[in-house]
Amino acid sequence: MDNIAGQNKGGKLAVNITVIILVLLWLLPTIGLFVSSFRDRDQISNSGWWQAPFAVDLNFRARVAADDARQEGDIFVVEGNVFADPSLSGRFPDAEGVVAAYGTRAVAPDEFAPGEVSELRTGGTVVVNHDGTYRVESPEEIARGPTLYFEARTPPRFTLANYETVLRADGMDRAFINTLTVTIPATIIPILIAAFAAYALAWMDFPGRGLLIAAVVGLLVVPLQLALVPLLSLHTNIGIGQSFLGIWLAHTGFGLPLAVYLLRNYMVGLPRDIIESAKVDGATDFQIFVRIILPLSFPALASFAIFQFLWTWNDLLVAKVFLPSGAESQVMTVKIADDLLGSRGGDWGILATAAFVSIAVPLVVFFTMQRYLVRGLLAGSVK
Amino acid sequence: MSPVIQGILTIIIGVGGCVGYFYFSNMLLDKVIFPAKGPNTGRNINRANQVRPWLFLFPAMFALGLYLAYPVVGSFWRSLFDRSGANFIGLGNYAALFAEGSFRTAVLNNLLWVLFVPAMATFLGLLVAQLTDRLSWGNIAKSLIFMPMAISFVGASLIWKFVYSANPDIGIINSIRDSMGMTVLDPLQIRFWNNFLLMFILVWIQTGFAMVILSAALRGIPEETIEAAIIDGANPFQVFFKIKVPQIMGTIVVVWTTITILVLKVFDIVYTMTGGNFGTHILPSYMMTYMFRDDGRATAVAFVIMLLVLPVMIWNIRQARNEMR
């Protein structure tokens, strides 16, 4: 009853429709990418992904087989079928299809309707019928068969070929492993360091505690850009340079403020009684932390782990600066942004597939652990 | 050594090192430096307990200091030197930057981003949070709108390339234009408005974040206030704008500032979509054009970003201090 439009049927319908439109707007671009990644390369560039379930008109070329030429009276004739061309066997295995239009020049592959007779540049005439059969007539002997261009309807084709190309030839498999290599240590290491610090900030009394918490809150918003130049030169000076070790350290440092902040907020809320009775029973701070605080803080640890995982997996900036730019250490985001977008700029199937490979793991993590992610977000911003 | 093995080793050394550090430093403190026995037992225990917090804090503070606090100073210092780093040129880099037309464009664009993205994402997030509140399939809708949060900025940019593409067989916008008989155009080359197309990608990513937090805040509003308003004859819009929104204003501000901070970091979208061409540079992407080429200029740009963040930072710290009291 407190809903904006919860009071009448019309209002309810309006709410439903609005939400459906919003959800579609949010979902459609991703679906487009997903569908495109499974489509045939030629079909992608000839019809939009929203037409994926329908047949597509594609252009092909076939060479007239001059060997079959025979003489009929005083003219030379070649007959055959465009779909039987050996180069099209992958596309039309049964050598059957429907010609929508044909032409004799590459620039105008749909110049003539099927059945229409047209002049050949080399002299003579040609006709291509709906079923693909053609007949070339020439007053002179046909030494070299002309090339015929035609447009044919192809059924919708979904393949895994893009995935094969991306993973094998384009080196995305390597980039995937590199991403994993960067992500896992960069997720695990900050957690432990942050957990101890968060415990100290939440449950230990010492002078300057408030100041330190304020400092962590302040560091939470320091732009990463500031860190790039000084840290890269620091890494170079101490011999780490651009390397995996460097990026693990960098991600650890950049992830710590959020980790300390989230974990402290959570630990402060743990019941005081448990901790005090443990102290009365003679437990040391170290024991309290390991035996009581850590197990109880599992939800907060999990939500930070998910944040840090998503952040490091999806990061482009830190990887560009702290990792060497060679192919053997590129992570997926760098690979896509610097390599594939440049060299495969117009190859939409490859781009879609590469993007989908890179977002698949975060999506799985997201949907399986959404509960923890939401909890972490809430701990971080609402009290 | 293969990076994978190196990674596994790092996990073992990192985790083992951390556990070892905490365990042995504690033992050292309790057993060797201030042992809880002998004539000074009481004093020793107290002293150990005074030192212990710093033991727990040291690794985190060290990393935070080195990786976040030092760079603020280090970057500013570096920005006062020229490209080679040998000659002190005072504010020369800043003066040179402000003389560049493209830098001024980047600053203006960045201001647009800072105004538009948080406002739009918070507004849409609030809208979705309110609309899905009592919907039977509300949780599914929320989950789907939240999903882009998991997608990298690079991935999101590629996803939106399939919307914005100039090719009517790839881009939805041009396909619609084409079917309505309009000429095909490249949306990303329309000056000024192309910025909003890029901003919308970030709005698309961040709306879910705003929605999740605002939806929790809406649920936290006491029912009585709403019931009282309805009994007094308030219509649904009045209930929303005069009863609900004022009560979650604090959360709205938090969401707004969080997204603002994020906006000032994101360079990926501009980098992937236009590379800063067609007047779309923002400060983070502009900095990357100098990165690896002229560290003096790059750090100067970074410090300008820092100056933009500063008000939010101060506000955040004051807010945190108020909460602790």
Side-chain angles (χ1 to χ4, degrees):
Chain A
M1 82 186 195
D2 61 338
N3 212 328
I4 263 200
Q7 286 162 336
N8 52 48
K9 277 240 161 75
K12 196 118 200 157
L13 192 70
V15 169
N16 269 304
I17 290 174
T18 318
V19 176
I20 287 174
I21 290 175
L22 278 169
V23 167
L24 278 183
L25 183 66
W26 250 248
L27 207 55
L28 274 182
T30 318
I31 293 177
L33 186 86
F34 184 65
V35 171
S36 300
S37 76
F38 289 104
R39 291 187 74 203
D40 182 79
R41 295 171 63 154
D42 300 324
Q43 295 199 338
I44 288 180
S45 49
N46 277 288
S47 77
W49 60 264
W50 51 92
Q51 292 165 323
F54 308 110
V56 187
D57 286 336
L58 290 182
N59 294 327
F60 301 100
R61 48 192 272 177
R63 179 164 278 276
V64 171
D67 317 343
D68 304 343
R70 63 174 195 276
Q71 201 164 4
E72 272 182 20
D74 51 354
I75 54 167
F76 294 88
V77 175
V78 185
E79 279 184 332
N81 192 316
V82 286
F83 293 111
D85 190 282
S87 66
L88 298 177
S89 61
R91 193 56 89 147
F92 303 101
D94 305 334
E96 277 173 18
V98 178
V99 173
Y102 80 99
T104 52
R105 297 175 301 150
V107 287
D110 50 1
E111 205 175 355
F112 307 107
E116 198 181 329
V117 178
S118 65
E119 299 278 326
L120 277 169
R121 255 183 314 170
T122 50
T125 58
V126 63
V127 58
V128 178
N129 297 312
H130 275 290
D131 59 358
T133 52
Y134 60 80
R135 181 183 166 92
V136 179
E137 295 178 357
S138 172
E140 294 153 40
E141 196 167 343
I142 302 170
R144 229 174 120 260
T147 305
L148 295 176
Y149 301 89
F150 64 100
E151 196 180 271
R153 195 132 274 230
T154 55
R157 244 164 81 109
F158 296 97
T159 80
L160 289 173
N162 289 330
Y163 283 87
E164 244 178 78
T165 316
V166 164
L167 290 176
R168 298 252 172 82
D170 279 336
M172 202 65 177
D173 51 346
R174 185 66 208 250
F176 187 93
I177 290 177
N178 285 338
T179 300
L180 213 59
T181 312
V182 167
T183 308
I184 292 175
T187 306
I188 293 176
I189 294 172
I191 293 181
L192 211 58
I193 299 178
F196 274 96
Y199 173 71
L201 290 174
W203 287 106
M204 288 165 126
D205 259 329
F206 58 91
R209 187 171 77 156
L211 215 62
L212 279 183
I213 297 172
V216 170
V217 173
L219 291 180
L220 213 48
V221 300
V222 168
L224 263 182
Q225 274 81 8
L226 276 176
L228 303 180
V229 172
L231 287 180
L232 190 59
S233 60
L234 179 83
H235 279 180
T236 314
N237 287 340
I238 60 174
I240 299 176
Q242 286 183 315
S243 66
F244 279 102
L245 184 60
I247 198 173
W248 290 323
L249 291 175
H251 272 311
T252 302
F254 301 149
L256 270 179
L258 181 70
V260 174
Y261 180 69
L262 267 185
L263 293 177
R264 191 202 89 93
N265 274 0
Y266 189 86
M267 287 178 187
V268 156
L270 294 176
R272 179 172 284 274
D273 305 353
I274 303 180
I275 292 153
E276 283 187 345
S277 53
K279 269 191 183 153
V280 170
D281 289 346
T284 64
D285 274 313
F286 190 78
Q287 284 169 327
I288 294 176
F289 176 76
V290 175
R291 301 259 172 85
I292 300 175
I293 301 282
L294 267 194
L296 284 180
S297 307
F298 177 76
L301 296 175
S303 60
F304 170 72
I306 298 166
F307 273 122
Q308 180 75 355
F309 175 83
L310 291 179
W311 161 247
T312 47
W313 185 283
N314 290 337
D315 159 79
L316 171 68
L317 182 62
V318 180
K320 257 181 87 71
V321 175
F322 287 96
L323 274 183
S325 53
E328 67 283 349
S329 55
Q330 266 176 344
V331 295
M332 284 192 288
T333 46
V334 177
K335 175 105 200 153
I336 293 172
D338 283 357
D339 207 11
L340 295 184
L341 269 177
S343 65
R344 297 275 203 165
D347 204 334
W348 295 94
I350 297 294
L351 288 179
T353 312
F356 195 73
V357 168
S358 81
I359 65 177
V361 174
L363 282 183
V364 170
V365 170
F366 174 81
F367 280 114
T368 50
M369 310 215 204
Q370 205 176 11
R371 175 187 304 264
Y372 289 112
L373 192 69
V374 170
R375 202 179 294 178
L377 277 180
L378 295 181
S381 39
V382 245
K383 292 235 82 179
Chain B
M1 190 164 44
S2 118
V4 180
I5 300 171
Q6 209 186 337
I8 295 169
L9 269 180
T10 309
I11 295 178
I12 295 169
I13 295 173
V15 173
C18 283
V19 173
Y21 162 80
F22 289 116
Y23 185 76
F24 288 112
S25 66
N26 253 289
M27 210 151 84
L28 196 72
L29 188 70
D30 287 333
K31 300 274 151 67
V32 183
I33 303 177
F34 298 118
K37 58 184 180 222
N40 299 327
T41 306
R43 210 182 66 185
N44 275 356
I45 289 179
N46 280 342
R47 277 186 180 170
N49 282 342
Q50 271 168 13
V51 176
R52 199 178 336 268
W54 301 104
L55 227 55
F56 276 38
L57 281 168
F58 173 72
M61 290 302 139
F62 178 75
L64 280 176
L66 187 63
Y67 277 85
L68 286 168
Y70 153 70
V72 178
V73 184
S75 266
F76 179 66
W77 185 243
R78 182 65 186 81
S79 73
L80 303 176
F81 290 82
D82 70 351
R83 187 176 161 181
S84 66
N87 306 312
F88 184 83
I89 52 168
L91 296 178
N93 282 321
Y94 295 90
L97 278 179
F98 278 99
E100 281 175 36
S102 48
F103 177 77
R104 291 197 300 267
T105 315
V107 173
L108 288 179
N109 285 343
N110 223 148
L111 289 177
L112 270 183
W113 278 70
V114 166
L115 291 176
F116 181 78
V117 176
M120 199 64 190
T122 313
F123 168 74
L124 285 174
L126 191 58
L127 184 74
V128 178
Q130 169 67 26
L131 291 182
T132 53
D133 200 26
R134 292 292 161 94
L135 225 53
S136 52
W137 55 289
N139 280 336
I140 301 170
K142 276 191 206 166
S143 184
L144 291 175
I145 288 182
F146 194 30
M147 178 201 68
M149 272 288 279
I151 296 175
S152 63
F153 298 122
V154 174
S157 304
L158 272 186
I159 288 176
W160 282 86
K161 268 185 183 261
F162 278 79
V163 177
Y164 294 153
S165 167
N167 180 345
D169 285 325
I170 304 283
I172 297 177
I173 292 181
N174 271 309
S175 156
I176 294 170
R177 284 181 68 91
D178 200 35
S179 65
M180 291 184 355
M182 286 189 278
T183 52
V184 167
L185 50 78
D186 189 344
L188 291 176
Q189 293 191 20
I190 311 167
R191 297 227 164 220
F192 185 71
W193 297 109
N194 51 8
N195 284 303
F196 288 90
L197 296 181
L198 300 186
M199 287 178 218
F200 191 75
I201 302 176
L202 195 54
V203 171
W204 180 75
I205 295 174
Q206 287 300 311
T207 296
F209 163 75
M211 173 203 70
V212 163
I213 291 175
L214 294 173
S215 147
L218 282 177
R219 295 236 163 115
I221 294 175
E223 285 284 323
E224 305 89 65
T225 55
I226 296 156
E227 276 165 24
I230 291 173
I231 290 167
D232 287 348
N235 70 34
F237 285 94
Q238 285 173 323
V239 170
F240 183 68
F241 285 107
K242 298 204 167 147
I243 308 294
K244 287 186 169 181
V245 170
Q247 293 197 63
I248 58 167
M249 211 53 204
T251 314
I252 291 179
V253 174
V254 169
V255 169
W256 194 296
T257 49
T258 311
I259 299 177
T260 306
I261 295 295
L262 183 88
V263 170
L264 288 166
K265 287 182 189 171
V266 174
F267 97 110
D268 321 33
I269 294 175
V270 171
Y271 183 80
T272 325
M273 291 299 280
T274 62
N277 293 317
F278 321 118
T280 55
H281 258 311
I282 54 174
L283 288 175
S285 68
Y286 196 72
M287 182 201 171
M288 286 311 278
T289 62
Y290 278 120
M291 189 77 206
F292 303 121
R293 291 201 299 121
D294 185 341
D295 283 352
R297 292 279 165 82
T299 46
V301 179
F303 205 75
V304 173
I305 302 176
M306 180 70 208
L307 291 180
L308 289 176
V309 172
L310 210 56
V312 183
M313 187 191 224
I314 293 168
W315 189 87
N316 266 3
I317 293 176
R318 289 174 78 174
Q319 206 66 13
R321 302 217 67 158
N322 286 343
E323 267 169 24
M324 275 188 296
R325 282 207 191 101

